[in-house]
């Protein structure tokens, strides 16, 4: 049975008869219906009745409705109202823009706006890099999507992509102190999207590409990197790859295996699967086999796009062929970036001793942890409601924080590898075990450590612009 999750939580507002046993009957009915109380924020007593708002976690939308029906039939209980907590949280959006200076009098207005602002405009017109000193560009990232590959849900379009991009902006600010804004584009070709981003680029210090379908995602990123002098980072590719490498490094410590000796099967050859395969190859993984819907990628296989051809030519040294279950035999690591339910406990049993399973499909993993329990030596997913969450939020806030801090013009492979190493190192030796191979997304040390490592790597790689001293302008 699936576990309850905050993603399907509801709040039930109930009026209870103010007599002993009523609350007990309510909670008993809720438990029998499979609900899990998350919180009872407070209550109001109106003499013979008590009004409470009770937060309840469910397994699905339909399960939430079943819970409400179940508690509605309890003697002494009246359901006054109920609502979906996830939808309530998204009402009106999740971000806003706030001023950084006041305009409380004419003096402040004269500096922040006309006529004083003209002096700053003129200075930037004469020396364009000054925009990184005197505008929001220094700390502003565009989160760009066309909505063609939204969170594992597919091509939902730009409007439906907005909640994800808003959430991304929220995480940028919360964890990296980076200002970010969602840009959901109604484009239909790679050319249109590239042109749109190039035209808005002067407003931003970095571009985070998000939820863009492969293979166009690869072309779009490559072209924008070539055309722009600010960091361009496709998080679905590189954020996933960075955190996966960090998780793998620590998982291998748990099972006491060497990265050069292992076989990794990467299932799902979209943007994330390709990038993850590449970073694992760079990290020294002994054998990598990529698998798509038609089976293993190998030299000589037809019907491959440019990105998949590269994987076929540079991985799978034994030229293995066949389906996922066939190539998974004797593998040390399963990395899933595909779709729900494709992996079974029996599949895992065919793997090498102490198998590592990263089932990262969202919103439902390739195999749920309950099914892999006792079979996988180390289990991780992409979900926040299970241990070992391989979540991009461990990477992208710190990556951009570090890049922006040193005025990086691009994100190099060394910067990505350094970010992965920094994430892995946050998990100390005494904390490292099969249930803790990556730090919590709420560990505030992560973004700071990643930013420092990325900034140092950018300087070492020589991809930073010369920052103009702020004292060079003004009086």
């Amino acid at each position: 049975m699936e576990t309850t999750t905050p993603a399907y939580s509801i709040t039930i507002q109930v009026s209870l008869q103010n007599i002993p046993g009523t609350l007990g009957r309510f909670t008993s009915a809720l438990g029998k219906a499979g609900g899990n109380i998350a919180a009872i924020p407070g209550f109001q007593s109106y003499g013979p009745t008590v009004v409470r708002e009770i937060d309840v976690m469910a397994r699905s939308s339909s399960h939430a409705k079943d819970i409400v029906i179940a508690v509605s039939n309890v003697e002494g209980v009246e359901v006054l109202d109920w609502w979906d907590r996830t939808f309530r949280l998204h009402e009106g959006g999740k971000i806003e823009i706030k001023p950084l200076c006041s305009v409380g009098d004419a003096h402040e207005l004269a500096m922040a706006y006309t006529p004083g602002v003209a002096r700053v405009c003129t200075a930037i017109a004469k020396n364009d890099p000054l925009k990184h000193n005197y505008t929001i560009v220094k700390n502003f990232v565009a989160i760009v999507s066309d909505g063609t590959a939204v969170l594992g849900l597919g091509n939902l379009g730009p409007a439906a992509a907005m909640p994800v991009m808003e959430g991304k902006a929220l995480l940028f600010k919360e964890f990296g102190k980076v200002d970010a804004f969602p840009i959901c584009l109604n484009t239909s070709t790679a050319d249109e999207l590239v042109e749109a981003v190039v035209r808005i680029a002067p407003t931003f210090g970095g571009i985070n590409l998000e939820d863009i379908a492969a293979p166009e995602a690869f072309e779009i990123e490559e072209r924008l990197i070539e055309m722009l002098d600010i960091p361009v980072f496709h998080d679905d590719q590189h954020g996933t790859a960075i955190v996966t490498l960090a998780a793998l490094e620590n998982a291998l410590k748990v099972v006491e295996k060497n990265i050069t000796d292992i076989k990794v099967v990467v299932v799902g050859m979209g943007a994330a699967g390709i990038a993850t395969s590449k970073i694992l190859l760079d990290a020294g993984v002994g054998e990598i086999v990529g698998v798509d819907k038609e089976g293993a990628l190998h030299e000589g296989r037809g019907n491959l796009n440019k990105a998949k051809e590269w994987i076929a030519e540079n991985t799978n040294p034994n030229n293995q062929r066949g389906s996922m279950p066939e190539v998974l035999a004797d593998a040390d690591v399963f990395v899933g970036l595909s779709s729900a339910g494709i992996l079974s406990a029996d599949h895992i049993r065919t793997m090498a001793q102490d198998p590592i399973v990263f089932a990262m499909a969202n919103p439902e993993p390739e195999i749920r942890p309950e099914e892999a329990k006792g079979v996988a030596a180390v289990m991780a997913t992409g979900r926040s409601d299970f241990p070992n969450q391989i979540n991009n939020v461990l990477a992208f806030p710190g990556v951009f924080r570090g890049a922006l801090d040193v005025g990086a013009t691009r994100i190099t492979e060394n910067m990505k590898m350094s970010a992965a190493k920094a994430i892995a190192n946050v998990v100390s030796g005494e904390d490292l075990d099969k249930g803790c191979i990556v730090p919590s997304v709420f560990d505030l040390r992560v973004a700071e450590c990643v930013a420092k490592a990325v900034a140092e790597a950018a300087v070492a790689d020589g991809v930073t612009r010369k920052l103009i001293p702020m004292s060079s302008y003004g009086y």
Side-chain angles (χ1 to χ4, degrees), residues 3-8 57 86 151 171 175 359-365 368-369 380-394 435 438-442:
T3 57
T4 59
T5 167
Y8 289 107
M57 292 192 294
T86 297
L151 202 65
L171 298 176
F175 296 108
M360 297 185 286
N362 265 316
E364 289 296 326
R368 294 182 65 87
T381 72
R383 289 176 50 145
S384 59
D385 49 353
F386 295 124
N388 291 332
Q389 184 190 15
I390 299 178
N391 191 319
N392 294 11
V393 74
L394 292 168
V438 287
S440 165
V441 297
F442 302 107

Side-chain angles (χ1 to χ4, degrees), residues 399-411:
V399 168
F400 272 96
R401 177 73 279 148
L404 292 170
D405 284 346
V406 294
T409 56
R410 58 190 297 258
I411 305 294

Side-chain angles (χ1 to χ4, degrees), residues 64-200:
K65 293 177 183 177
D66 291 341
I67 292 170
V68 173
I69 292 171
V71 298
S72 297
N73 294 324
V74 175
E75 179 185 354
V77 175
E78 179 185 2
V79 175
L80 303 177
D81 194 10
W82 71 279
W83 53 87
D84 187 307
R85 295 178 70 221
T86 297
F87 275 84
R88 180 66 62 92
L89 181 146
H90 284 77
E91 285 182 5
K94 303 186 290 292
I95 59 173
E96 65 178 358
I97 294 175
K98 291 184 176 181
L100 295 178
C101 61
S102 69
V103 283
D105 57 39
H107 290 185
E108 291 175 336
L109 181 60
M111 291 187 291
Y113 199 51
T114 187
V117 71
R119 297 177 57 226
V120 183
C121 293
T122 302
I124 293 172
K126 293 178 179 178
N127 196 335
D128 185 75
L130 281 174
K131 66 187 179 186
H132 295 279
N133 289 47
Y134 295 110
T135 74
I136 196 174
V137 168
K138 178 178 177 60
N139 195 50
F140 202 24
V141 170
I143 305 171
V144 177
S145 180
D146 61 0
T148 53
V150 180
L151 202 65
L153 300 174
N155 187 355
L156 302 184
M162 183 61 79
V164 178
M165 305 313 127
E166 280 189 9
K168 204 83 172 185
L170 179 68
L171 298 176
F172 262 112
K173 188 66 173 180
E174 184 71 19
F175 296 108
K177 297 182 175 61
V178 173
D179 293 307
F181 196 81
I183 307 290
C184 293
L185 297 171
N186 187 16
T187 56
S188 57
T189 67
D191 287 343
E192 289 178 351
L193 195 148
V194 168
E195 181 183 6
V197 174
V198 170
R199 290 185 181 278
I200 66 172

Side-chain angles (χ1 to χ4, degrees), residues 38 48 63-64 89 200-201 208 213 277-278 283 287 314 327 394 405 416 469:
H63 182 223
L89 181 146
I200 66 172
N208 184 92
S277 298
K278 287 183 176 180
E287 181 181 356
N314 291 276
V327 298
L394 292 168
D405 284 346
K416 298 170 195 173

